[in-house]
Short mmCIF file of all heavy atoms in Angstrom, two decimals:
data_model
loop_
_atom_site.label_atom_id
_atom_site.label_comp_id
_atom_site.label_asym_id
_atom_site.label_seq_id
_atom_site.Cartn_x
_atom_site.Cartn_y
_atom_site.Cartn_z
N LEU A 367 -4.07 22.50 8.26
CA LEU A 367 -4.02 21.06 8.04
C LEU A 367 -2.99 20.43 8.97
O LEU A 367 -1.89 20.96 9.14
CB LEU A 367 -3.64 20.75 6.59
CG LEU A 367 -4.64 21.13 5.50
CD1 LEU A 367 -4.08 20.77 4.13
CD2 LEU A 367 -5.99 20.46 5.73
N THR A 368 -3.35 19.31 9.57
CA THR A 368 -2.43 18.53 10.38
C THR A 368 -1.97 17.32 9.60
O THR A 368 -2.80 16.50 9.18
CB THR A 368 -3.09 18.08 11.70
OG1 THR A 368 -3.46 19.24 12.46
CG2 THR A 368 -2.14 17.22 12.52
N ALA A 369 -0.67 17.22 9.37
CA ALA A 369 -0.09 16.06 8.70
C ALA A 369 0.09 14.96 9.75
O ALA A 369 1.12 14.83 10.39
CB ALA A 369 1.25 16.42 8.06
N GLY A 370 -0.95 14.18 9.91
CA GLY A 370 -1.02 13.17 10.96
C GLY A 370 -2.38 13.27 11.63
O GLY A 370 -3.35 13.73 11.01
N ILE A 371 -2.47 12.86 12.89
CA ILE A 371 -3.71 12.96 13.63
C ILE A 371 -3.45 13.60 14.99
O ILE A 371 -2.41 13.40 15.59
CB ILE A 371 -4.40 11.59 13.82
CG1 ILE A 371 -3.47 10.57 14.48
CG2 ILE A 371 -4.89 11.05 12.48
CD1 ILE A 371 -4.13 9.23 14.76
N GLY A 372 -4.41 14.40 15.44
CA GLY A 372 -4.27 15.13 16.69
C GLY A 372 -3.98 16.59 16.42
O GLY A 372 -2.86 16.95 16.04
N SER A 373 -5.00 17.45 16.59
CA SER A 373 -4.85 18.87 16.26
C SER A 373 -4.94 19.76 17.48
O SER A 373 -5.32 20.93 17.38
CB SER A 373 -5.93 19.26 15.23
OG SER A 373 -5.77 18.52 14.04
N ASP A 374 -4.55 19.24 18.65
CA ASP A 374 -4.66 20.00 19.89
C ASP A 374 -3.60 21.09 20.01
O ASP A 374 -3.66 21.89 20.94
CB ASP A 374 -4.57 19.05 21.09
CG ASP A 374 -3.41 18.09 20.96
OD1 ASP A 374 -2.29 18.45 21.37
OD2 ASP A 374 -3.61 16.99 20.42
N HIS A 375 -2.61 21.12 19.11
CA HIS A 375 -1.64 22.21 19.11
C HIS A 375 -2.24 23.49 18.54
O HIS A 375 -1.59 24.53 18.54
CB HIS A 375 -0.39 21.82 18.32
CG HIS A 375 -0.67 21.34 16.93
ND1 HIS A 375 -1.17 20.09 16.65
CD2 HIS A 375 -0.54 21.97 15.73
CE1 HIS A 375 -1.32 19.95 15.35
NE2 HIS A 375 -0.96 21.09 14.77
N ILE A 376 -3.46 23.38 18.05
CA ILE A 376 -4.19 24.53 17.53
C ILE A 376 -5.24 24.95 18.56
O ILE A 376 -5.91 24.09 19.15
CB ILE A 376 -4.88 24.17 16.20
CG1 ILE A 376 -3.84 23.76 15.15
CG2 ILE A 376 -5.74 25.33 15.69
CD1 ILE A 376 -4.43 23.10 13.92
N ASP A 377 -5.40 26.24 18.77
CA ASP A 377 -6.48 26.73 19.62
C ASP A 377 -7.77 26.58 18.80
O ASP A 377 -8.13 27.44 17.99
CB ASP A 377 -6.25 28.20 20.00
CG ASP A 377 -7.26 28.71 21.01
OD1 ASP A 377 -8.44 28.31 20.94
OD2 ASP A 377 -6.88 29.53 21.87
N LEU A 378 -8.45 25.45 18.99
CA LEU A 378 -9.59 25.11 18.14
C LEU A 378 -10.78 26.05 18.31
O LEU A 378 -11.39 26.44 17.32
CB LEU A 378 -9.99 23.66 18.38
CG LEU A 378 -8.90 22.62 18.01
CD1 LEU A 378 -9.36 21.22 18.37
CD2 LEU A 378 -8.55 22.71 16.53
N PRO A 379 -11.13 26.45 19.54
CA PRO A 379 -12.22 27.42 19.66
C PRO A 379 -11.91 28.74 18.95
O PRO A 379 -12.79 29.33 18.32
CB PRO A 379 -12.36 27.61 21.18
CG PRO A 379 -11.87 26.33 21.77
CD PRO A 379 -10.73 25.92 20.87
N ALA A 380 -10.65 29.19 19.03
CA ALA A 380 -10.27 30.42 18.34
C ALA A 380 -10.35 30.24 16.83
O ALA A 380 -10.77 31.15 16.10
CB ALA A 380 -8.86 30.84 18.76
N ALA A 381 -9.94 29.06 16.35
CA ALA A 381 -10.03 28.78 14.92
C ALA A 381 -11.48 28.77 14.46
O ALA A 381 -11.82 29.31 13.40
CB ALA A 381 -9.35 27.45 14.61
N ALA A 382 -12.34 28.16 15.28
CA ALA A 382 -13.77 28.11 14.95
C ALA A 382 -14.37 29.52 14.92
O ALA A 382 -15.12 29.87 14.01
CB ALA A 382 -14.51 27.23 15.94
N ALA A 383 -14.01 30.32 15.91
CA ALA A 383 -14.54 31.69 15.99
C ALA A 383 -14.08 32.54 14.81
O ALA A 383 -14.80 33.45 14.37
CB ALA A 383 -14.11 32.33 17.30
N ALA A 384 -12.89 32.23 14.28
CA ALA A 384 -12.35 32.99 13.15
C ALA A 384 -12.86 32.47 11.81
O ALA A 384 -12.49 33.02 10.76
CB ALA A 384 -10.82 32.94 13.19
N GLY A 385 -13.67 31.41 11.83
CA GLY A 385 -14.21 30.86 10.60
C GLY A 385 -13.23 30.03 9.80
O GLY A 385 -13.42 29.82 8.60
N LEU A 386 -12.17 29.54 10.46
CA LEU A 386 -11.17 28.73 9.77
C LEU A 386 -11.61 27.27 9.67
O LEU A 386 -12.39 26.79 10.49
CB LEU A 386 -9.83 28.80 10.51
CG LEU A 386 -9.23 30.19 10.69
CD1 LEU A 386 -7.95 30.11 11.53
CD2 LEU A 386 -8.94 30.82 9.34
N THR A 387 -11.09 26.59 8.68
CA THR A 387 -11.27 25.15 8.57
C THR A 387 -10.01 24.47 9.11
O THR A 387 -8.89 24.86 8.76
CB THR A 387 -11.49 24.73 7.10
OG1 THR A 387 -12.70 25.31 6.63
CG2 THR A 387 -11.57 23.21 6.98
N VAL A 388 -10.21 23.47 9.97
CA VAL A 388 -9.10 22.67 10.51
C VAL A 388 -9.38 21.22 10.15
O VAL A 388 -10.49 20.72 10.37
CB VAL A 388 -8.98 22.82 12.04
CG1 VAL A 388 -7.80 22.00 12.56
CG2 VAL A 388 -8.82 24.29 12.43
N ALA A 389 -8.39 20.55 9.60
CA ALA A 389 -8.57 19.15 9.21
C ALA A 389 -7.28 18.39 9.41
O ALA A 389 -6.19 18.97 9.41
CB ALA A 389 -9.04 19.05 7.76
N GLU A 390 -7.41 17.08 9.57
CA GLU A 390 -6.24 16.21 9.72
C GLU A 390 -6.45 14.95 8.88
O GLU A 390 -7.55 14.72 8.35
CB GLU A 390 -6.01 15.86 11.19
CG GLU A 390 -7.18 15.19 11.87
CD GLU A 390 -7.00 15.04 13.37
OE1 GLU A 390 -6.50 15.98 14.01
OE2 GLU A 390 -7.36 13.97 13.90
N VAL A 391 -5.41 14.12 8.79
CA VAL A 391 -5.49 12.92 7.96
C VAL A 391 -5.89 11.75 8.86
O VAL A 391 -5.06 10.94 9.29
CB VAL A 391 -4.16 12.65 7.23
CG1 VAL A 391 -4.37 11.56 6.17
CG2 VAL A 391 -3.62 13.91 6.58
N THR A 392 -7.18 11.70 9.15
CA THR A 392 -7.70 10.72 10.09
C THR A 392 -7.36 9.30 9.65
O THR A 392 -7.54 8.94 8.49
CB THR A 392 -9.24 10.88 10.21
OG1 THR A 392 -9.52 12.18 10.72
CG2 THR A 392 -9.83 9.84 11.13
#
Side-chain angles (χ1 to χ4, degrees):
L367 293 179
T368 298
I371 55 176
S373 299
D374 48 87
H375 54 283
I376 299 167
D377 187 324
L378 297 176
L386 302 176
T387 296
V388 181
E390 58 188 41
V391 191
T392 298

